[in-house]
Amino acid sequence: MKKQRESQAHSFDFERAKKMAVHYNRSTGANCQIIDATGQVMFRTDTENVCVVCQEVQAICGDSSFCRRYRRDGAYYARHYGGKYIFLCPMGLVNWASPITVEGVLAGAFLSGSYLMTKPNDKLVEASLKKQGVNMEQAAQLIGCLENAVPIDTDRVTSLSEMLFLMACHISDIAHLKQVDNERHQKSISSISEYIHHLKKSDVAEGK
């Protein structure tokens, strides 16, 4: 009965999505979360090994006021940009998301990350925290926690993002694949058009 309610609430195969998140975590060592369309975390791997920075952020700022918004936005941008989106959270940590869609509507997303890919700009992080109502003392405490963030290189992030994308395609319905294919087709046409335009400009410049 519980599984039936979960399936109805998420409108996709939630149990299968959880199994895929666990396999992703076991095979790559990277964490994985399943969120709903509002950014609420419905499932996460590594519940006992949550990022130190994230723990401090949630303790000081509260999950709903800080992290939930960037998770939600990450999912929507991932859908907008063809199924993959790599971004920095307000603390300057890298995350990547891929949307789960049903009948063209965002139902949730796979999300992974909160790793240190580049050294964050303390001033930008401080300004971001200030917008969340964090005082200077708390901001300094959070910025200090960044030293304990787990590092990751760019190539690995790209590969892990690609894996999340494949997982999301597997969980989403066929409409998702059609949308992705259509977007890639449009991008391909756009690239060809730009190339032809470039050739024509070159011919004009050469007086042909």
Side-chain angles (χ1 to χ4, degrees):
M1 189 68 178
K2 181 181 177 182
K3 289 183 179 180
Q4 184 179 2
R5 286 198 303 269
E6 285 182 333
S7 178
Q8 291 172 346
H10 303 293
S11 67
F12 60 89
D13 194 334
F14 188 54
E15 291 301 313
R16 186 164 58 135
K18 288 197 294 185
K19 288 179 181 178
M20 294 187 72
V22 170
H23 288 315
Y24 171 88
N25 171 244
R26 287 176 180 171
S27 60
T28 67
N31 61 63
C32 188
Q33 303 176 48
I34 301 173
I35 63 173
D36 65 15
T38 70
Q40 177 68 41
V41 176
M42 309 308 297
F43 174 77
R44 74 171 79 225
T45 59
D46 285 347
T47 53
E48 297 180 358
N49 189 31
V50 179
C51 169
V52 174
V53 181
C54 296
Q55 288 179 336
E56 289 296 322
V57 167
Q58 291 176 21
I60 293 175
C61 304
D63 180 64
S64 60
S65 65
F66 193 87
C67 300
R68 185 170 176 173
R69 190 179 302 120
Y70 88 76
R71 289 194 298 259
R72 178 200 64 199
D73 292 348
Y76 276 93
Y77 279 120
R79 181 176 179 274
H80 178 73
Y81 289 117
K84 292 178 287 186
Y85 187 56
I86 300 172
F87 60 100
L88 299 180
C89 76
M91 289 298 298
L93 300 178
V94 67
N95 294 262
W96 48 99
S98 280
I100 299 171
T101 63
V102 178
E103 297 181 357
V105 178
L106 182 69
F110 285 113
L111 180 73
S112 185
S114 292
Y115 296 106
L116 188 64
M117 188 170 67
T118 58
K119 187 180 185 304
N121 184 311
D122 289 354
K123 293 295 183 183
L124 292 178
V125 173
E126 187 177 294
S128 177
L129 293 173
K130 188 177 180 180
K131 290 180 181 178
Q132 301 296 326
V134 179
N135 62 46
M136 296 296 291
E137 184 179 347
Q138 292 173 326
Q141 180 183 342
L142 289 174
I143 291 171
C145 289
L146 290 172
E147 296 179 0
N148 299 315
V150 179
I152 193 169
D153 65 74
T154 306
D155 289 340
R156 186 156 185 254
V157 169
T158 302
S159 297
L160 290 170
S161 173
E162 191 69 31
M163 290 183 70
L164 271 199
F165 169 68
L166 295 174
M167 288 164 53
C169 286
H170 187 64
I171 294 297
S172 300
D173 64 7
I174 192 65
H176 178 78
L177 295 177
K178 289 180 178 178
Q179 179 185 349
V180 170
D181 286 342
N182 181 60
E183 288 173 351
R184 289 185 172 179
H185 178 63
Q186 293 299 324
K187 287 180 180 178
S188 177
I189 292 175
S190 176
S191 296
I192 293 171
S193 297
E194 288 177 3
Y195 180 63
I196 292 173
H197 180 66
H198 171 72
L199 290 179
K200 287 181 177 179
K201 286 181 65 178
S202 298
D203 288 345
V204 170
E206 293 174 7
K208 292 180 180 180

